[in-house]
Amino acid sequence: MNPKIDELNWKILKQLQDNARESFANIGRTVGLTAPAVAERVKKMEDLGIILGYKATVSHALTGHQLKAIITLRAFMGKLKPFLAVVPSLQEVINCYRITGNENIVMEVVLKDQFHLEKFIDQLIQYGETRTHIVLSQVISNAPMHKIK
């Protein structure tokens, strides 16, 4: 266990993961600290790299991205590094992981429709064999980190 993450820090992290815009005063009331004490702990966790940042969660469907898919890529010989260089520029990709196993890459992508998906796959096939899984619904999304018991 990281000594910088004591029980109070875990409680603060839970509150921030539930609502990153929650005031330090409200967090303090929940965890039993003053707002300045919460602010100091949050600052220390930010400085240590425990808290990496804050972001807005956006509805892809309401921004015109009606299709979400998981695409795996099994890179052709010599094509993995070129793919890794280009993937940050692919605006459709919201998450990308390099993995072990038969496939090299797993991507979560958002697209306007099936025609957009077809064009996107056409871009990918120069790098390897793809498999596409259409997301029907999200069961768990951005679940908070918890202390491992």
Side-chain angles (χ1 to χ4, degrees), residues 7-96:
E7 288 301 321
L8 281 173
N9 281 356
W10 276 112
K11 289 178 181 178
I12 292 168
L13 285 171
K14 168 137 181 26
Q15 295 293 311
L16 289 172
Q17 288 177 98
D18 289 345
N19 180 4
R21 295 184 67 180
E22 188 67 73
S23 72
F24 291 155
N26 284 342
I27 293 172
R29 279 191 281 283
T30 303
V31 303
L33 293 175
T34 65
V38 171
E40 183 179 328
R41 284 174 171 263
V42 169
K43 175 75 170 114
K44 282 183 183 176
M45 288 190 284
E46 289 170 346
D47 291 345
L48 290 168
I50 295 167
I51 296 174
L52 299 175
Y54 305 89
K55 65 177 183 158
T57 304
V58 177
S59 168
H60 300 290
L62 295 178
T63 58
H65 301 87
Q66 300 301 315
L67 192 62
K68 185 182 273 191
I70 305 298
I71 300 177
T72 60
L73 176 80
R74 182 177 182 182
F76 296 141
M77 187 70 70
K79 292 292 188 171
L80 181 59
K81 285 188 180 184
F83 174 79
L84 293 173
V86 78
V87 72
S89 69
L90 301 175
Q91 294 179 351
E92 295 87 351
V93 179
I94 58 174
N95 286 299
C96 181

Side-chain angles (χ1 to χ4, degrees), residues 120-135:
F120 185 71
I121 291 172
D122 287 347
Q123 285 181 282
L124 297 179
I125 58 176
Q126 64 183 306
Y127 298 102
E129 179 184 325
T130 64
R131 287 191 181 172
T132 303
H133 308 272
I134 303 298
V135 174

Side-chain angles (χ1 to χ4, degrees), residues 4 17 23 43 50 57 69 100 104 111 115 119 135 137 148:
K4 303 296 182 202
Q17 288 177 98
S23 72
K43 175 75 170 114
I50 295 167
T57 304
T100 61
N104 308 96
L111 307 128
F115 304 109
K119 285 182 183 179
V135 174
S137 64
I148 298 173

